[in-house]
PDB file of all heavy atoms in Angstrom:
ATOM      1  N   LYS S   2      95.159  -5.385 113.138  1.00 98.00           N
ATOM      2  CA  LYS S   2      96.102  -6.405 113.030  1.00 98.00           C
ATOM      3  C   LYS S   2      95.761  -7.295 111.798  1.00 98.00           C
ATOM      4  O   LYS S   2      94.667  -7.793 111.813  1.00 98.00           O
ATOM      5  CB  LYS S   2      96.254  -7.313 114.241  1.00 98.00           C
ATOM      6  CG  LYS S   2      96.969  -6.680 115.445  1.00 98.00           C
ATOM      7  CD  LYS S   2      97.124  -7.690 116.615  1.00 98.00           C
ATOM      8  CE  LYS S   2      98.036  -8.858 116.124  1.00 98.00           C
ATOM      9  NZ  LYS S   2      98.142  -9.888 117.214  1.00 98.00           N
ATOM     10  N   ILE S   3      96.632  -7.342 110.727  1.00 98.00           N
ATOM     11  CA  ILE S   3      96.287  -7.952 109.574  1.00 98.00           C
ATOM     12  C   ILE S   3      97.286  -9.140 109.261  1.00 98.00           C
ATOM     13  O   ILE S   3      98.550  -8.956 109.461  1.00 98.00           O
ATOM     14  CB  ILE S   3      96.444  -6.984 108.351  1.00 98.00           C
ATOM     15  CG1 ILE S   3      95.532  -5.783 108.533  1.00 98.00           C
ATOM     16  CG2 ILE S   3      96.223  -7.657 106.955  1.00 98.00           C
ATOM     17  CD1 ILE S   3      95.777  -4.669 107.562  1.00 98.00           C
ATOM     18  N   LEU S   4      96.728 -10.274 109.027  1.00 98.00           N
ATOM     19  CA  LEU S   4      97.569 -11.461 108.697  1.00 98.00           C
ATOM     20  C   LEU S   4      97.306 -11.785 107.300  1.00 98.00           C
ATOM     21  O   LEU S   4      96.236 -11.960 106.714  1.00 98.00           O
ATOM     22  CB  LEU S   4      97.087 -12.688 109.504  1.00 98.00           C
ATOM     23  CG  LEU S   4      97.889 -14.009 109.355  1.00 98.00           C
ATOM     24  CD1 LEU S   4      99.281 -13.823 109.731  1.00 98.00           C
ATOM     25  CD2 LEU S   4      97.232 -15.103 110.094  1.00 98.00           C
ATOM     26  N   VAL S   5      98.382 -11.899 106.412  1.00 98.00           N
ATOM     27  CA  VAL S   5      98.362 -12.276 105.114  1.00 98.00           C
ATOM     28  C   VAL S   5      98.881 -13.724 104.964  1.00 98.00           C
ATOM     29  O   VAL S   5     100.061 -14.089 105.385  1.00 98.00           O
ATOM     30  CB  VAL S   5      99.254 -11.374 104.197  1.00 98.00           C
ATOM     31  CG1 VAL S   5      99.165 -11.835 102.756  1.00 98.00           C
ATOM     32  CG2 VAL S   5      98.712  -9.953 104.314  1.00 98.00           C
ATOM     33  N   LEU S  20     101.876  -2.939 104.320  1.00 98.00           N
ATOM     34  CA  LEU S  20     103.014  -2.779 105.206  1.00 98.00           C
ATOM     35  C   LEU S  20     103.757  -1.482 104.844  1.00 98.00           C
ATOM     36  O   LEU S  20     104.182  -0.710 105.742  1.00 98.00           O
ATOM     37  CB  LEU S  20     103.936  -3.954 105.037  1.00 98.00           C
ATOM     38  CG  LEU S  20     105.219  -3.973 105.886  1.00 98.00           C
ATOM     39  CD1 LEU S  20     104.876  -3.839 107.358  1.00 98.00           C
ATOM     40  CD2 LEU S  20     106.012  -5.253 105.609  1.00 98.00           C
ATOM     41  N   GLU S  24     100.718  -0.103 108.000  1.00 98.00           N
ATOM     42  CA  GLU S  24      99.742  -1.015 108.690  1.00 98.00           C
ATOM     43  C   GLU S  24     100.516  -2.085 109.426  1.00 98.00           C
ATOM     44  O   GLU S  24     101.639  -2.470 109.103  1.00 98.00           O
ATOM     45  CB  GLU S  24      98.703  -1.530 107.779  1.00 98.00           C
ATOM     46  CG  GLU S  24      97.771  -0.453 107.162  1.00 98.00           C
ATOM     47  CD  GLU S  24      96.884   0.169 108.236  1.00 98.00           C
ATOM     48  OE1 GLU S  24      96.535  -0.463 109.223  1.00 98.00           O
ATOM     49  OE2 GLU S  24      96.594   1.459 108.052  1.00 98.00           O
ATOM     50  N   ASP S  25      99.814  -2.756 110.404  1.00 98.00           N
ATOM     51  CA  ASP S  25     100.415  -3.826 111.185  1.00 98.00           C
ATOM     52  C   ASP S  25     100.147  -5.047 110.457  1.00 98.00           C
ATOM     53  O   ASP S  25      99.002  -5.718 110.643  1.00 98.00           O
ATOM     54  CB  ASP S  25      99.707  -3.793 112.607  1.00 98.00           C
ATOM     55  CG  ASP S  25     100.317  -4.903 113.487  1.00 98.00           C
ATOM     56  OD1 ASP S  25     101.162  -5.663 113.090  1.00 98.00           O
ATOM     57  OD2 ASP S  25      99.842  -4.879 114.709  1.00 98.00           O
ATOM     58  N   VAL S  26     101.069  -5.527 109.641  1.00 98.00           N
ATOM     59  CA  VAL S  26     100.905  -6.661 108.790  1.00 98.00           C
ATOM     60  C   VAL S  26     101.860  -7.764 109.177  1.00 98.00           C
ATOM     61  O   VAL S  26     103.129  -7.497 109.294  1.00 98.00           O
ATOM     62  CB  VAL S  26     101.110  -6.259 107.286  1.00 98.00           C
ATOM     63  CG1 VAL S  26     100.912  -7.519 106.375  1.00 98.00           C
ATOM     64  CG2 VAL S  26     100.185  -5.195 106.904  1.00 98.00           C
ATOM     65  N   THR S  27     101.387  -8.989 109.264  1.00 98.00           N
ATOM     66  CA  THR S  27     102.270 -10.123 109.418  1.00 98.00           C
ATOM     67  C   THR S  27     101.962 -11.105 108.338  1.00 98.00           C
ATOM     68  O   THR S  27     100.792 -11.288 107.816  1.00 98.00           O
ATOM     69  CB  THR S  27     101.910 -10.815 110.832  1.00 98.00           C
ATOM     70  OG1 THR S  27     102.126  -9.941 111.809  1.00 98.00           O
ATOM     71  CG2 THR S  27     102.782 -12.078 110.986  1.00 98.00           C
ATOM     72  N   PHE S  28     102.871 -11.880 107.915  1.00 98.00           N
ATOM     73  CA  PHE S  28     102.752 -12.832 106.816  1.00 98.00           C
ATOM     74  C   PHE S  28     102.868 -14.297 107.417  1.00 98.00           C
ATOM     75  O   PHE S  28     103.939 -14.529 108.127  1.00 98.00           O
ATOM     76  CB  PHE S  28     103.803 -12.703 105.638  1.00 98.00           C
ATOM     77  CG  PHE S  28     103.594 -11.408 104.899  1.00 98.00           C
ATOM     78  CD1 PHE S  28     104.213 -10.220 105.346  1.00 98.00           C
ATOM     79  CD2 PHE S  28     102.828 -11.459 103.723  1.00 98.00           C
ATOM     80  CE1 PHE S  28     104.023  -9.063 104.636  1.00 98.00           C
ATOM     81  CE2 PHE S  28     102.699 -10.255 103.081  1.00 98.00           C
ATOM     82  CZ  PHE S  28     103.307  -9.051 103.461  1.00 98.00           C
ATOM     83  N   LEU S  29     102.042 -15.128 107.107  1.00 98.00           N
ATOM     84  CA  LEU S  29     102.038 -16.492 107.564  1.00 98.00           C
ATOM     85  C   LEU S  29     102.623 -17.370 106.325  1.00 98.00           C
ATOM     86  O   LEU S  29     101.960 -17.397 105.327  1.00 98.00           O
ATOM     87  CB  LEU S  29     100.601 -17.083 107.814  1.00 98.00           C
ATOM     88  CG  LEU S  29     100.577 -18.589 108.284  1.00 98.00           C
ATOM     89  CD1 LEU S  29     101.349 -18.815 109.531  1.00 98.00           C
ATOM     90  CD2 LEU S  29      99.044 -18.988 108.475  1.00 98.00           C
ATOM     91  N   VAL S  30     103.825 -17.813 106.520  1.00 96.00           N
ATOM     92  CA  VAL S  30     104.523 -18.489 105.393  1.00 96.00           C
ATOM     93  C   VAL S  30     105.138 -19.787 105.826  1.00 96.00           C
ATOM     94  O   VAL S  30     105.183 -20.138 107.023  1.00 96.00           O
ATOM     95  CB  VAL S  30     105.627 -17.542 104.929  1.00 96.00           C
ATOM     96  CG1 VAL S  30     105.152 -16.226 104.375  1.00 96.00           C
ATOM     97  CG2 VAL S  30     106.736 -17.270 106.087  1.00 96.00           C
ATOM     98  N   LYS S  35     110.149 -18.109 104.698  1.00 97.00           N
ATOM     99  CA  LYS S  35     110.542 -17.335 105.812  1.00 97.00           C
ATOM    100  C   LYS S  35     112.062 -17.060 105.806  1.00 97.00           C
ATOM    101  O   LYS S  35     112.440 -15.928 105.943  1.00 97.00           O
ATOM    102  CB  LYS S  35     110.215 -17.978 107.134  1.00 97.00           C
ATOM    103  CG  LYS S  35     110.611 -17.153 108.347  1.00 97.00           C
ATOM    104  CD  LYS S  35     110.299 -17.941 109.655  1.00 97.00           C
ATOM    105  CE  LYS S  35     110.756 -17.140 110.873  1.00 97.00           C
ATOM    106  NZ  LYS S  35     110.501 -17.819 112.241  1.00 97.00           N
ATOM    107  N   LEU S  38     112.883 -14.589 103.009  1.00 97.00           N
ATOM    108  CA  LEU S  38     112.379 -13.159 103.350  1.00 97.00           C
ATOM    109  C   LEU S  38     113.280 -12.556 104.369  1.00 97.00           C
ATOM    110  O   LEU S  38     113.581 -11.381 104.451  1.00 97.00           O
ATOM    111  CB  LEU S  38     110.921 -13.192 103.688  1.00 97.00           C
ATOM    112  CG  LEU S  38     109.903 -13.470 102.570  1.00 97.00           C
ATOM    113  CD1 LEU S  38     108.538 -13.548 103.174  1.00 97.00           C
ATOM    114  CD2 LEU S  38     109.979 -12.287 101.595  1.00 97.00           C
ATOM    115  N   LEU S  54     110.940  -4.310 102.008  1.00 98.00           N
ATOM    116  CA  LEU S  54     110.399  -4.261 103.258  1.00 98.00           C
ATOM    117  C   LEU S  54     110.904  -5.295 104.174  1.00 98.00           C
ATOM    118  O   LEU S  54     111.288  -6.333 103.683  1.00 98.00           O
ATOM    119  CB  LEU S  54     108.814  -4.381 103.189  1.00 98.00           C
ATOM    120  CG  LEU S  54     108.182  -3.365 102.209  1.00 98.00           C
ATOM    121  CD1 LEU S  54     106.768  -3.888 101.751  1.00 98.00           C
ATOM    122  CD2 LEU S  54     107.919  -2.047 102.911  1.00 98.00           C
ATOM    123  N   SER S  55     110.773  -5.171 105.475  1.00 97.00           N
ATOM    124  CA  SER S  55     111.176  -6.065 106.529  1.00 97.00           C
ATOM    125  C   SER S  55     109.986  -6.565 107.290  1.00 97.00           C
ATOM    126  O   SER S  55     109.522  -5.930 108.309  1.00 97.00           O
ATOM    127  CB  SER S  55     112.190  -5.431 107.545  1.00 97.00           C
ATOM    128  OG  SER S  55     113.348  -5.073 106.816  1.00 97.00           O
ATOM    129  N   PRO S  56     109.182  -7.597 106.738  1.00 97.00           N
ATOM    130  CA  PRO S  56     107.938  -7.890 107.334  1.00 97.00           C
ATOM    131  C   PRO S  56     108.056  -8.796 108.568  1.00 97.00           C
ATOM    132  O   PRO S  56     109.069  -9.473 108.776  1.00 97.00           O
ATOM    133  CB  PRO S  56     107.315  -8.727 106.169  1.00 97.00           C
ATOM    134  CG  PRO S  56     108.505  -9.362 105.502  1.00 97.00           C
ATOM    135  CD  PRO S  56     109.635  -8.389 105.593  1.00 97.00           C
ATOM    136  N   LYS S  57     106.966  -8.737 109.290  1.00 97.00           N
ATOM    137  CA  LYS S  57     106.869  -9.738 110.424  1.00 97.00           C
ATOM    138  C   LYS S  57     106.328 -11.012 109.824  1.00 97.00           C
ATOM    139  O   LYS S  57     105.526 -11.106 108.950  1.00 97.00           O
ATOM    140  CB  LYS S  57     105.729  -9.187 111.453  1.00 97.00           C
ATOM    141  CG  LYS S  57     106.310  -8.011 112.275  1.00 97.00           C
ATOM    142  CD  LYS S  57     105.370  -7.672 113.396  1.00 97.00           C
ATOM    143  CE  LYS S  57     104.084  -7.131 112.954  1.00 97.00           C
ATOM    144  NZ  LYS S  57     103.188  -6.684 114.128  1.00 97.00           N
ATOM    145  N   LEU S  58     106.921 -12.167 110.316  1.00 97.00           N
ATOM    146  CA  LEU S  58     106.630 -13.477 109.730  1.00 97.00           C
ATOM    147  C   LEU S  58     106.248 -14.442 110.773  1.00 97.00           C
ATOM    148  O   LEU S  58     106.739 -14.420 111.976  1.00 97.00           O
ATOM    149  CB  LEU S  58     108.007 -13.979 109.055  1.00 97.00           C
ATOM    150  CG  LEU S  58     108.487 -13.046 107.987  1.00 97.00           C
ATOM    151  CD1 LEU S  58     109.860 -13.584 107.585  1.00 97.00           C
ATOM    152  CD2 LEU S  58     107.634 -12.962 106.716  1.00 97.00           C
ATOM    153  N   LEU S  59     105.270 -15.352 110.383  1.00 97.00           N
ATOM    154  CA  LEU S  59     104.940 -16.409 111.190  1.00 97.00           C
ATOM    155  C   LEU S  59     104.932 -17.665 110.388  1.00 97.00           C
ATOM    156  O   LEU S  59     104.735 -17.671 109.196  1.00 97.00           O
ATOM    157  CB  LEU S  59     103.377 -16.251 111.544  1.00 97.00           C
ATOM    158  CG  LEU S  59     103.032 -15.539 112.967  1.00 97.00           C
ATOM    159  CD1 LEU S  59     101.464 -15.418 113.000  1.00 97.00           C
ATOM    160  CD2 LEU S  59     103.666 -16.033 114.170  1.00 97.00           C
ATOM    161  N   PHE S  68      94.055 -12.222 114.950  1.00 98.00           N
ATOM    162  CA  PHE S  68      94.181 -11.061 114.080  1.00 98.00           C
ATOM    163  C   PHE S  68      92.781 -10.556 113.790  1.00 98.00           C
ATOM    164  O   PHE S  68      91.768 -11.220 113.931  1.00 98.00           O
ATOM    165  CB  PHE S  68      94.928 -11.420 112.749  1.00 98.00           C
ATOM    166  CG  PHE S  68      96.287 -11.726 112.980  1.00 98.00           C
ATOM    167  CD1 PHE S  68      96.753 -13.020 113.364  1.00 98.00           C
ATOM    168  CD2 PHE S  68      97.223 -10.715 112.619  1.00 98.00           C
ATOM    169  CE1 PHE S  68      98.133 -13.192 113.542  1.00 98.00           C
ATOM    170  CE2 PHE S  68      98.623 -10.953 112.801  1.00 98.00           C
ATOM    171  CZ  PHE S  68      99.015 -12.224 113.376  1.00 98.00           C
TER     172      PHE S  68
END
Side-chain angles (χ1 to χ4, degrees):
K2 288 185 62 182
I3 301 168
L4 180 66
V5 182
L20 179 59
E24 292 296 328
D25 184 356
V26 179
T27 301
F28 293 86
L29 179 62
V30 294
K35 180 183 179 183
L38 291 171
L54 303 159
S55 298
K57 291 190 289 186
L58 304 170
L59 273 178
F68 289 81

